[in-house]
């Protein structure tokens, strides 16, 4: 598992890069899920409200991930090719673009957030809390953008441990903030969903500060000057956007399709929305390890391509799939077996517990396809094959992930189980297609740096 690879004069260890990413993802999951977990003790209407608001927020944050992902891909290849001057231009470009995008999205969401919630058919009993959560967290979007940007810089330099420590501090702040603002502490009143939103916003602010400080302490020789943004060459800018838009497009399409299918779930009632939220929390546990490994492996593969070591890149991809896909499936089976007890930790509603158990057995099949997609899509992006994954993603996610979800879940009245079955078919189909894409080997001609 812990094989070492030397690329461009630098030694990489998959294990030493993976475990900090795994801890980071675990902490991120806690930050993202702690609102739902703590709100479940407040009331389940608040859980449904935050689930709907977070779906909008997650989709919009993907705009920042487009820029951050492009920065990680190009930085890893420039660093692998030993071109530090080009890398420094990428820092400035990423910071400037994400700052501009975050300010624009903040304005649009403050103006149109109410309309978005109505389009999503948020249940009337959860609407007011969903709106308050969305409006408060919107104000911290620029902080989230900068936190993701500087995290991408650290990731490209393989500073996984630094990111993990920063995420740990953010998680501690979130738990303390939720305790104070959701339930009330001393003179602070019980605020419910609004309190969770306030805690999340504070976390994002501190997270931005931590990541920026960590970046400059870890990589002190880098200089980011926003005034230099206008002097960046058009060629570099075009390459950056041509990588970022398709790379982020696959995730953007996925989250938009999830938002549409959430409308179907909202039609089923609050108990179905709540079950979906808890199921997604446990699903994150299933794919967390392979997600961490794939992030570490994609950085190594980016360096390999920058240094023209294609055989090493191919071996790394096969190693991750062979070792970690069975582990992911095993974790999902264990959670499915113990799902009644696990769902019972969050809800006493027998409908939620019974439905959660049924859905999670479908999740086992879904995780097979998702494991393939997580690894192969990220690695295809790392080597520069960015357009193909997004084209396949859009077609499959919308035709099967949304279209078939409506047929099975609504038309055939299979409910949430039917929707999850459509998700599983979508993931497995895309996974098979990407296996053949990688084996074809066309990516070896797509090196992005000169």
């Amino acid at each position: 598992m812990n094989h070492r690879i030397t690329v461009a004069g630098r030694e990489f260890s998959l294990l030493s890069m993976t475990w900090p990413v795994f801890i980071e993802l675990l902490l991120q999951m806690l930050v993202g899920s702690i609102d739902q977990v703590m709100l479940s003790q407040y009331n389940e209407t608040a859980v449904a409200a935050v689930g709907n608001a977070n779906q909008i927020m997650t989709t919009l944050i993907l705009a920042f991930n487009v820029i951050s992902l492009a920065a990680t891909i190009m930085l890893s290849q420039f660093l692998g090719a030993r071109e530090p001057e080009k890398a420094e231009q990428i820092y400035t470009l990423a910071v400037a673009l994400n700052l501009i995008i975050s300010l624009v999205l903040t304005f649009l969401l403050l103006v149109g957030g109410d309309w978005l919630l109505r389009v999503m058919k948020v249940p009337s009993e959860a609407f007011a809390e969903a709106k308050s959560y969305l409006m408060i967290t919107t104000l911290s979007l620029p902080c989230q953008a900068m936190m993701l940007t500087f995290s991408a810089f650290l990731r490209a330099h393989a500073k996984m441990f630094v990111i993990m420590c920063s995420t740990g501090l953010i998680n501690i702040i979130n738990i303390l903030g939720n305790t104070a603002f959701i339930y009330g502490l001393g003179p602070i009143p019980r605020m419910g969903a609004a309190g969770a939103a306030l805690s999340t916003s504070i976390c994002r602010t501190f997270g931005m500060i931590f990541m920026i400080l960590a970046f400059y302490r870890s990589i002190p020789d880098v200089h980011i000057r926003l005034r230099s943004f206008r002097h960046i060459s058009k060629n570099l800018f075009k390459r950056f956007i041509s990588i970022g838009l398709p790379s982020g497009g696959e995730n953007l399409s996925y989250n938009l399709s999830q938002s549409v299918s959430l409308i179907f779930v909202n039609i089923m009632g609050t108990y179905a929305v709540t079950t979906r939220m808890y199921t997604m929390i446990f699903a994150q546990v299933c794919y967390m390890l392979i997600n961490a490994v794939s992030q570490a492996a994609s950085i190594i593969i980016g360096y390999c391509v920058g240094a023209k070591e294609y055989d090493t890149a191919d071996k790394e991809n096969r190693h991750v799939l062979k070792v970690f896909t069975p582990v992911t499936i095993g974790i999902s089976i264990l959670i499915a077996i113990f799902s009644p007890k696990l769902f019972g930790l969050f809800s006493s509603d027998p409908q939620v517990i019974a439905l959660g158990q049924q859905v999670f057995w479908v999740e086992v099949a879904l995780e097979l396809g998702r494991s393939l997609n997580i690894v192969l899509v990220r690695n295809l992006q790392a080597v520069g094959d960015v357009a193909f994954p997004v084209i396949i993603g859009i077609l499959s996610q919308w035709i099967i992930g949304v279209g078939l979800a409506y047929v099975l879940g609504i038309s055939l009245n299979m409910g949430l189980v039917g929707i999850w079955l459509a998700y599983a078919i979508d993931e497995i189909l895309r996974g098979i297609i990407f296996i053949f894409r990688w084996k074809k080997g066309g990516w070896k001609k797509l090196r992005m740096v000169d």
Side-chain angles (χ1 to χ4, degrees), residues 236-292:
L236 185 66
F237 182 82
K238 287 179 180 178
R239 277 199 286 173
F240 189 90
I241 297 301
S242 69
I243 294 165
L245 288 180
S247 297
E250 198 271 342
N251 279 331
L252 180 61
S253 172
Y254 176 79
N255 277 273
L256 287 173
S257 68
Q258 288 286 302
S259 297
V260 172
S261 63
L262 179 55
I263 296 174
F264 308 154
V265 182
N266 283 329
I267 294 172
M268 299 172 192
T270 301
Y271 86 95
V273 179
T274 302
T275 305
R276 175 185 178 274
M277 283 305 308
Y278 295 147
T279 301
M280 293 183 74
I281 291 173
F282 293 128
Q284 289 181 62
V285 176
C286 294
Y287 62 79
M288 193 178 301
L289 176 60
I290 200 164
N291 194 8

Side-chain angles (χ1 to χ4, degrees), residues 384-398:
D385 192 359
V386 293
F388 185 80
V390 72
I391 293 171
I392 297 300
I394 290 173
L395 291 174
S396 182
Q397 290 158 7
W398 289 92

Side-chain angles (χ1 to χ4, degrees), residues 71-368:
T72 302
I73 292 170
M74 292 195 73
L75 282 172
S76 63
Q77 292 205 14
F78 279 132
L79 294 171
R82 302 186 182 185
E83 297 186 37
E85 299 82 8
K86 294 280 184 69
E88 194 154 305
Q89 293 182 52
I90 297 299
Y91 299 131
T92 301
L93 183 58
V95 169
L97 287 177
N98 260 348
L99 186 59
I100 293 169
I101 292 170
S102 65
L103 292 173
V104 171
L105 287 179
T106 297
F107 173 76
L108 293 176
L109 204 51
L110 288 174
V111 173
D114 188 281
W115 175 80
L116 279 174
L117 291 171
R118 294 187 189 282
V119 168
M120 292 181 66
K121 299 187 183 299
V122 175
S124 57
E125 64 270 22
F127 190 91
E129 288 181 294
K131 182 179 178 180
S132 65
Y133 184 92
L134 184 62
M135 292 297 102
I136 294 171
T137 52
T138 293
L139 296 173
S140 63
L141 272 178
C143 296
Q144 179 74 15
M146 291 301 98
M147 181 172 70
L148 290 172
T149 304
F150 282 88
S151 175
F153 297 164
L154 289 165
R155 201 177 306 280
H157 282 271
K159 301 292 183 181
M160 312 304 193
F161 183 77
V162 176
I163 301 173
M164 180 197 73
C165 293
S166 298
T167 307
L169 290 172
I170 295 167
N171 191 56
I172 293 171
I173 293 170
N174 191 47
I175 294 173
L176 294 175
N178 276 347
T179 302
F181 298 123
I182 293 177
Y183 306 121
L185 185 65
I188 301 174
R190 288 166 56 91
M191 299 172 65
L198 183 58
S199 177
T200 297
S201 297
I202 292 171
C203 279
R204 288 175 176 171
T205 304
F206 277 98
M208 175 189 68
I209 295 170
F210 292 156
M211 289 298 179
I212 292 174
L213 291 176
F215 174 73
Y216 281 110
R217 284 179 64 88
S218 302
I219 313 162
D221 296 331
V222 173
H223 303 286
I224 299 174
R225 301 180 181 90
L226 289 179
R227 64 178 179 272
S228 302
F229 174 63
R230 58 185 176 179
H231 300 303
I232 292 173
S233 69
K234 290 183 179 179
N235 181 49
L236 185 66
F237 182 82
K238 287 179 180 178
R239 277 199 286 173
F240 189 90
I241 297 301
S242 69
I243 294 165
L245 288 180
S247 297
E250 198 271 342
N251 279 331
L252 180 61
S253 172
Y254 176 79
N255 277 273
L256 287 173
S257 68
Q258 288 286 302
S259 297
V260 172
S261 63
L262 179 55
I263 296 174
F264 308 154
V265 182
N266 283 329
I267 294 172
M268 299 172 192
T270 301
Y271 86 95
V273 179
T274 302
T275 305
R276 175 185 178 274
M277 283 305 308
Y278 295 147
T279 301
M280 293 183 74
I281 291 173
F282 293 128
Q284 289 181 62
V285 176
C286 294
Y287 62 79
M288 193 178 301
L289 176 60
I290 200 164
N291 194 8
V293 175
S294 69
Q295 286 192 35
S298 67
I299 299 298
I300 297 172
I301 287 173
Y303 273 78
C304 290
V305 173
K308 298 184 180 180
E309 297 184 19
Y310 303 116
D311 289 341
T312 305
D314 187 42
K315 289 177 183 177
E316 191 71 8
N317 178 72
R318 286 189 281 109
H319 173 78
V320 172
L321 286 174
K322 181 179 178 181
V323 173
F324 293 97
T325 299
V327 175
T328 302
I329 302 304
I331 293 171
S332 64
I333 291 173
L334 283 174
I335 293 179
I337 292 172
F338 294 102
S339 57
K341 293 183 181 296
L342 293 172
F343 279 86
L345 294 174
F346 300 129
S347 177
S348 58
D349 187 341
Q351 269 188 305
V352 171
I353 296 172
L355 181 59
Q357 183 180 19
Q358 295 172 25
V359 169
F360 220 89
W361 279 110
V362 181
E363 178 72 23
V364 173
L366 189 154
E367 288 304 327
L368 171 60

Side-chain angles (χ1 to χ4, degrees), residues 424-444:
I425 295 171
D426 164 45
E427 294 279 1
I428 291 171
L429 176 62
R430 283 188 287 127
I432 293 171
I433 292 172
F434 293 142
I435 286 174
F436 284 105
R437 179 69 171 186
W438 181 273
K439 285 187 174 181
K440 191 175 180 181
W443 53 270
K444 296 178 182 178

